[in-house]
Amino acid sequence: MAGKLPQVPGELPTLNDWENHLTTIFPEVRLKRYMEMRGADGGPWRRLCALPAFWVGLLYDDESLQSIIDMTSDWTKEEREMLRRKVPVTGLKTPFRDGYVRDLAEDVLQLAKNGLERRGYKEVGFLREVDEVVRTGVTPAEKLLNLYETKWQRSVDPVFEELLY
């Protein structure tokens, strides 16, 4: 930072260097000139458009956005932190308030579908894979773990074929 690297004496970092460095940080949401939602940015081709469609349905539609705000406005910091910690482990089976995250997912998915429908661009089909996950309660991670334990005989190598584009 002080320009004392022997490989590049006197060279000082620039704002461009800082911006480049920030691209190596992977939080759930990364603020750029837009909000980059990183929660599920991988997976098979058939799910590739699901995440953007989900967020568009929620955030680009005033009615859906207000419903999400109303739904989450009384969540405590502790509840949000618990969800952040537990959902990656227990998925839709995570207990939350008087039900499970799956119940919440059903409501939120419906809001996203409604928001997409109101846009009128026939984008709801992009949520088919998410709809299947919520309907069955089985996440993609749980499917892969099951394959790992059964068909793949505890080998990770087949995952590369399974998720190949």
Side-chain angles (χ1 to χ4, degrees):
M1 297 295 286
K4 296 181 181 178
L5 287 175
Q7 300 86 345
V8 283
E11 189 75 25
L12 297 173
T14 65
L15 185 55
N16 190 49
D17 293 329
W18 177 245
E19 289 172 355
N20 188 41
H21 176 68
L22 289 177
T23 67
T24 66
I25 300 169
F26 297 98
E28 290 299 316
V29 178
R30 196 162 47 184
L31 188 59
K32 295 185 171 186
R33 291 188 176 129
Y34 51 89
M35 287 183 358
E36 180 183 27
M37 311 303 261
R38 303 200 41 87
D41 61 351
W45 185 256
R46 66 188 179 277
R47 285 199 308 260
L48 197 60
C49 293
L51 185 66
F54 177 78
W55 287 114
V56 164
L58 293 177
L59 301 179
Y60 288 29
D61 177 75
D62 290 340
E63 190 175 326
S64 291
L65 179 58
Q66 188 58 55
S67 294
I68 288 292
I69 291 168
D70 294 343
M71 180 187 297
T72 60
S73 64
D74 68 337
W75 291 7
T76 66
K77 178 183 176 187
E78 293 76 21
E79 285 175 319
R80 291 191 310 271
E81 184 58 29
M82 179 278 297
L83 290 170
R84 194 181 75 72
R85 274 191 343 272
K86 290 189 176 181
V87 169
V89 178
T90 54
L92 297 175
K93 297 167 188 71
T94 306
F96 184 66
R97 293 191 173 184
D98 295 329
Y100 294 90
V101 167
R102 182 177 177 188
D103 304 320
L104 183 63
E106 287 172 346
D107 295 341
V108 173
L109 180 58
Q110 190 58 56
L111 290 172
K113 287 179 181 180
N114 294 346
L116 291 174
E117 287 285 348
R118 283 188 286 273
R119 281 170 50 90
Y121 294 114
K122 300 181 181 180
E123 301 159 304
V124 174
F126 293 125
L127 296 176
R128 239 180 250 116
E129 292 287 321
V130 178
D131 204 18
E132 176 73 8
V133 169
V134 172
R135 188 182 61 73
T136 64
V138 180
T139 66
E142 290 168 321
K143 286 182 180 181
L144 290 173
L145 286 169
N146 181 54
L147 287 169
Y148 171 78
E149 292 290 347
T150 58
K151 182 179 175 184
W152 299 345
Q153 300 175 341
R154 300 183 64 80
S155 171
V156 296
D157 294 336
V159 77
F160 299 104
E161 282 295 319
E162 183 72 22
L163 297 180
L164 187 65
Y165 284 106

